[in-house]
Amino acid sequence: MNKKTLKDVTTKGKRVLVRCDFNVPQDSEGAITDDIRIRAALPTIKYLINSGAMIILMSHLGRPKGEGYEKKYSLKPVAQRLSELLNLKVSFAEDGDVAGENAKKLSQELKEGQVLLLENVRFVKGETKNDKEFARKLAGLGDIFVNDAFGTAHRAHASTAGIADFLPAVAGFLIEKEIAVMGKALDNPDRPFVAILGGAKVSDKIGVINNLLEKVDKIVIGGGMAYTFVKASGGEIGKSLLEAEKMDYAKEMLEKAKAKGVKLLLPVDTVAASEFKADAEHRVVDIDKIPEDYMGLDIGPRTVELFKQEIKDAKTVVWNGPMGVFEMPAFAVGTKAIAEALSRVSGTTIIGGGDSAAAVEQLGYADKMTHISTGGGASLEFLEGLELPGIAVLEEV
Ligand SMILES: Nc1ncnc2c1ncn2[C@@H]1O[C@H](COP(=O)(O)OP(=O)(O)OP(=O)(O)O)[C@@H](O)[C@H]1O
Ligand SMILES: O=C(O)[C@H](O)COP(=O)(O)O
C-alpha cells in the first residue's frame, strides 16, 4: 500500500480521530449478535492507547435518515462491548449532533490513553452527503485522522473522506491488512475464480456484476439478489425482493455473461414463505413459479446441490451476502450449506460482508477460510479494481 499508516505519524499526546466500521448486526432488543467488526478494530485502538494518544472513535450504525438521535441506531451498545473487549472504560458522547457540545467537552477532557466513542455519525444529514461543514466540525475534535473503516471505505462520506481535507490522514492497521491480504489473493487469482453474491443490498451490489464479469469465470447468484434476475428472465417471483429499476440491467448482465463465456448461475428452486417471519408457513417451489402471495427467503435443495457442484473445484472464491434470511433458522439451510462447501475448497476463499462473515463465524467455519473481510460492498468494489474513496484521501508515503 502506498499510503501512510499510523506508524508514520506521531500520536503521543495527540487527539486522534479514528473512523471505524462498527456497523454490527443486532437482534430486535439491540443486543450485538456478532462483534467481528469491533474486534477487528482493536489492533489500531490498542496501539493508540499504548502510544499515549487521546482516542476519539467514530462510526455509523445502520442507515438512519440523518434526522438526529434514534435509539435503535445508537452506538451505545458498541461502547459497552468495546469497553469489555479492551478491559478499559470507553466514554460515550451521547449527542444527537454527534460533534456537538457534549462531544466537544468529552474530547477535551480525554487524557493520554483514554478512549471516547462518538454517537452514530449518520444521525447528521451532512454525513452521507459528505458535507464540508460537518466534516470540519468532526475534524475540529482532533489533530490526526485515522481511517480504519475498511467496510465503509467505498463511501465518500464526511467521516470517511471529507474530513481528510482538514487533518493529516493516515490508514489504520485493519485497512492496511485488508488491502494486503485481498490484494495478494486477487491480483493474479488462481482459476477457476468464482464469485458468489447474495444478501439484500441489491441496488448497492448488483452494479459490481458488470466489472466482475471481466474478472471471474463463474458468478453464482443467490439470496435476495437472485429474484430480480429471475423476474427479468420472465419468472414469477411473488412478493420476493425485487429491484424493479434494475431489471433491464439484470437482463443485460445475463446477455453479457453469455457473450463472454462466463457462467452466471441462478437458483433453480427456493424456499418460499407466506410472510417475512421466523415461523411463517413455507415450502419449496421452482424459482420461476413462486406463488403470488409468497416470497423466496432461501435457496432450495436442488439449488444447494447445483451451487455446491460449481464451487467444489474452484481455486479462488469470493463470497458476499447470505443465500437466505439466515437469521431465521427455517431459512438458514442454504447459507449453511454454502459455508460448508466453501470450507472444503482447497484454494483461496474470501468472505466479505458483515452478515456473511457473521454467518461463517457462527457456523464455526471461520478458521477454514483464507480471509474474512470486514467489508461487504467495500470488498466487492476492491475486487472490481475500483479505488475506494476512503483510501484515496489518505496521504501517500
Ligand atoms: N431472499 C432474501 N430476502 C430478503 N432478505 C434476504 C434474502 N436473502 C438474504 N437476505 C438478507 O440479506 C441480509 C444481508 O445482506 P447484505 O447485502 O447486507 O450482506 P452483508 O454480508 O451483510 O454485506 P454488507 O456488509 O455489505 O452489508 C441478511 O440480513 C439476510 O437476511
Ligand atoms: O455493512 C456495510 O457494508 C458497511 O458498514 C457500509 O454500510 P452502508 O452500506 O450502509 O454504507
Side-chain angles (χ1 to χ4, degrees):
M1 189 175 69
N2 61 343
K3 297 291 180 180
K4 284 192 184 165
T5 75
L6 270 180
K7 294 217 163 132
D8 296 309
V9 287
T10 305
T11 49
K12 182 167 170 50
K14 296 275 173 30
R15 283 193 171 71
V16 181
L17 270 160
V18 188
R19 176 53 156 104
C20 299
D21 186 339
F22 292 147
N23 185 24
V24 289
Q26 290 169 286
D27 66 17
S28 53
E29 315 281 278
I32 295 167
T33 53
D34 184 274
D35 63 3
I36 297 178
R37 281 180 163 174
I38 305 178
R39 285 186 278 121
L42 294 178
T44 289
I45 300 171
K46 284 183 177 166
Y47 173 88
L48 287 170
I49 292 172
N50 293 332
S51 78
M54 283 95 90
I55 303 131
I56 304 160
L57 305 173
M58 316 179 272
S59 178
H60 74 287
L61 177 73
R63 293 177 170 178
K65 291 197 184 71
E67 287 161 3
Y69 175 82
E70 279 180 80
K71 185 165 188 273
K72 182 175 167 217
Y73 295 111
S74 172
L75 279 169
K76 197 168 184 178
V78 171
Q80 278 157 4
R81 177 61 60 91
L82 190 56
S83 170
E84 286 159 23
L85 291 168
L86 288 170
N87 202 12
L88 192 95
K89 182 180 171 222
V90 172
S91 327
F92 180 62
E94 290 189 46
D95 187 335
D97 286 342
V98 185
E101 286 313 312
N102 197 29
K104 253 191 242 165
K105 180 174 166 286
L106 291 173
S107 62
Q108 289 303 324
E109 285 169 6
L110 282 175
K111 299 204 169 54
E112 291 186 4
Q114 291 186 336
V115 184
L116 169 71
L117 174 64
L118 302 184
E119 234 329 343
N120 189 341
V121 283
R122 290 191 185 170
F123 283 167
V124 174
K125 237 191 200 81
E127 165 63 5
T128 53
K129 293 188 182 329
N130 197 7
D131 174 67
K132 225 182 165 78
E133 281 322 304
F134 184 51
R136 193 198 304 272
K137 212 167 157 187
L138 286 171
L141 300 174
D143 308 306
I144 298 171
F145 170 59
V146 174
N147 192 4
D148 212 20
F150 180 73
T152 326
H154 58 319
R155 308 283 183 221
H157 292 173
S159 69
T160 60
I163 189 169
D165 285 346
F166 303 102
L167 292 174
V170 299
F173 298 137
L174 176 61
I175 283 201
E176 187 184 28
K177 180 176 141 202
E178 291 268 16
I179 289 180
V181 177
M182 285 206 285
K184 190 163 166 268
L186 304 174
D187 208 19
N188 189 9
D190 291 335
R191 294 181 180 274
F193 183 4
V194 182
I196 309 172
L197 299 181
K201 288 182 182 169
V202 183
S203 60
D204 264 34
K205 294 183 185 171
I206 201 168
V208 306
I209 294 173
N210 192 30
N211 279 343
L212 282 185
L213 285 171
E214 310 287 340
K215 307 227 165 209
V216 301
D217 304 300
K218 283 179 204 172
I219 298 192
V220 173
I221 301 180
M225 181 77 83
Y227 305 96
T228 302
F229 286 85
V230 175
K231 176 105 176 159
S233 315
E236 296 296 339
I237 62 161
K239 294 188 293 181
S240 308
L241 203 59
L242 170 69
E243 206 57 59
E245 317 84 77
K246 300 286 182 191
M247 275 169 55
D248 286 342
Y249 170 83
K251 235 190 237 165
E252 224 181 279
M253 290 304 106
L254 290 165
E255 280 156 22
K256 180 170 173 179
K258 208 183 261 171
K260 291 195 77 70
V262 175
K263 215 165 170 184
L264 193 155
L265 283 121
L266 293 172
V268 289
D269 59 353
T270 185
V271 182
S274 53
E275 49 187 327
F276 193 87
K277 245 175 131 181
D279 58 355
E281 192 264 309
H282 57 274
R283 59 182 136 127
V284 175
V285 298
D286 286 348
I287 193 75
D288 56 349
K289 295 187 190 66
I290 304 176
E292 214 177 324
D293 48 353
Y294 275 64
M295 60 185 82
L297 295 185
D298 195 6
I299 52 174
R302 282 192 295 129
T303 305
V304 166
E305 286 315 309
L306 173 73
F307 286 4
K308 271 163 78 172
Q309 280 305 318
E310 297 297 337
I311 295 166
K312 200 165 52 92
D313 300 319
K315 288 283 171 282
T316 305
V317 188
V318 174
W319 179 22
N320 192 296
M323 293 291 100
V325 184
F326 76 101
E327 299 90 337
M328 304 178 188
F331 311 111
V333 179
T335 301
K336 282 186 188 171
I338 296 306
E340 205 263 344
L342 247 74
S343 74
R344 292 174 190 277
V345 167
S346 61
T348 302
T349 45
I350 296 181
I351 318 298
D355 288 299
S356 319
V360 166
E361 177 121 324
Q362 279 158 25
L363 296 167
Y365 294 123
D367 58 355
K368 299 255 168 38
M369 309 297 176
T370 310
H371 179 58
I372 299 193
S373 173
T374 53
S379 63
L380 280 179
E381 290 193 20
F382 182 80
L383 165 65
E384 280 183 88
L386 301 179
E387 187 174 42
L388 307 180
I391 296 175
V393 296
L394 305 177
E395 287 173 19
E396 304 211 337
V397 187

